[in-house]
């Protein structure tokens, strides 16, 4: 199975700041990576697909990038509604696997 | 508007069975693969199974192979998950998702608790 190592597990940031969350794949997943946002008590929502493409309706302050097997989610100009847990997911090979999640708290 | 509405779930004893369903609307159900993803309490996300658009192919994670069966009825735009020989580690919220490689729409989830 492809392992997705996500970091950090949690972070705290202030409104207006920029944060970066990373996922390291255990092997090449050829940009087949998605990012999801999950707010407490809610279902996950797709933010980014194919590593860098923004899902329709997602604010442009969210962006994805990649470097080899390292994938990153950047959130610019943090807003209060961005407080959530974020997950990466590879969809290169079954079983689809997720990162452990990053809980983002706003100061 | 795409909607996925799960039903079923609840408390079940270890070793017993449970089946729940997911009613889809707002898109042409028969054109899309579908998946189940689960999340144990306070834990991360875990893919469970995928079914192709026409039901001809299914894929399961190893821990549920031989115990869980995913199926679909395209005439009713409904997805199913039959779970047999349930274990305590199957306790989770189960989400119905539309799969296009990525999981672009999610249902609200249905909770399954396996406990005696």
């Amino acid at each position: 199975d492809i392992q997705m190592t996500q970091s950090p597990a949690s972070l705290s940031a202030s409104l207006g700041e920029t944060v970066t969350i990373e996922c390291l794949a255990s092997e090449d997943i050829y940009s087949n990576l998605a990012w999801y946002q999950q707010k407490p008590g809610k279902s996950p929502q797709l933010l980014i697909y194919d590593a860098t493409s923004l899902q329709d309706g997602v604010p442009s302050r969210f962006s994805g990038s990649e470097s080899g097997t390292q994938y990153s989610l950047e959130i610019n100009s943090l807003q209060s509604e961005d407080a959530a847990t974020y997950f990466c997911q590879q969809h290169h090979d079954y079983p689809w696997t997720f990162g452990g999640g990053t809980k983002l708290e706003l100061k | 508007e795409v909607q996925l509405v799960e039903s079923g779930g609840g408390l079940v004893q270890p070793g017993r069975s449970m089946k729940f369903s997911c009613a889809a609307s707002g898109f042409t159900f028969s054109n899309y693969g579908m998946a189940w993803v689960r999340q144990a309490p306070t834990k991360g996300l875990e893919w469970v199974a995928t079914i192709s658009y026409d039901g001809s192919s299914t894929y399961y994670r190893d821990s549920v192979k031989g115990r869980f069966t995913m199926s679909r009825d395209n005439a009713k735009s409904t997805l199913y998950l039959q779970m047999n020989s349930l274990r305590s580690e199957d306790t989770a919220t189960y989400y119905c998702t539309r799969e296009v490689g990525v999981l672009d729409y999610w249902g609200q989830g249905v909770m399954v608790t396996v406990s005696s």
Side-chain angles (χ1 to χ4, degrees):
Chain A
D1 297 0
I2 298 173
Q3 306 302 314
M4 302 301 297
T5 303
Q6 187 172 342
S7 61
S10 64
L11 73 158
S12 181
S14 301
L15 293 176
E17 284 189 9
T18 295
V19 297
T20 300
I21 299 167
E22 296 183 334
C23 262
L24 179 66
S26 61
E27 61 185 80
D28 198 340
I29 57 172
Y30 302 93
S31 304
N32 292 311
L33 183 106
W35 290 97
Y36 302 88
Q37 176 193 66
Q38 186 178 31
K39 296 182 179 180
K42 300 293 187 182
S43 306
Q45 289 193 309
L46 177 65
L47 298 175
I48 302 279
Y49 62 95
D50 293 345
T52 60
S53 297
L54 198 64
Q55 176 70 348
D56 288 347
V58 174
S60 59
R61 63 178 182 275
F62 291 89
S63 64
S65 63
E66 59 182 305
S67 175
T69 58
Q70 178 96 350
Y71 296 84
S72 301
L73 172 69
E74 184 175 277
I75 312 172
N76 293 310
S77 303
L78 276 172
Q79 305 294 307
S80 58
E81 60 265 29
D82 298 334
T85 300
Y86 295 84
F87 296 93
C88 64
Q89 176 234 339
Q90 66 81 18
H91 56 98
H92 172 62
D93 195 17
Y94 288 115
W96 298 157
T97 46
F98 292 84
T102 296
K103 186 175 182 179
L104 172 60
E105 295 183 333
L106 278 294
K107 292 178 184 174
Chain B
E1 178 193 5
V2 172
Q3 286 197 319
L4 300 169
V5 180
E6 298 98 335
S7 58
L11 177 64
V12 61
Q13 293 180 327
R16 303 298 291 266
S17 299
M18 175 173 280
K19 182 175 183 177
F20 42 76
S21 60
C22 169
S25 61
F27 66 103
T28 304
F29 182 70
S30 59
N31 286 352
Y32 289 86
M34 300 293 293
W36 290 98
V37 175
R38 67 185 179 184
Q39 185 171 35
T42 70
K43 298 295 185 183
L45 300 168
E46 184 174 82
W47 170 81
V48 175
T50 287
I51 190 167
S52 61
Y53 70 100
D54 60 356
S56 63
S57 298
T58 50
Y59 308 87
Y60 300 93
R61 68 180 301 105
D62 285 349
S63 60
V64 308
K65 276 181 190 173
R67 300 189 300 122
F68 288 14
T69 302
M70 188 175 183
S71 60
R72 63 191 298 160
D73 184 337
N74 283 348
K76 295 182 178 179
S77 294
T78 301
L79 185 70
Y80 303 98
L81 185 65
Q82 173 71 47
M83 304 186 296
N84 299 330
S85 303
L86 282 162
R87 306 167 181 168
S88 58
E89 55 263 37
D90 296 319
T91 293
T93 296
Y94 286 73
Y95 294 101
C96 165
T97 72
R98 193 175 79 169
E99 186 182 306
V100 289
V102 298
L103 308 166
D104 64 349
Y105 288 95
W106 297 61
Q108 83 283 359
V110 59
M111 183 67 197
V112 175
T113 302
V114 183
S115 175
S116 54

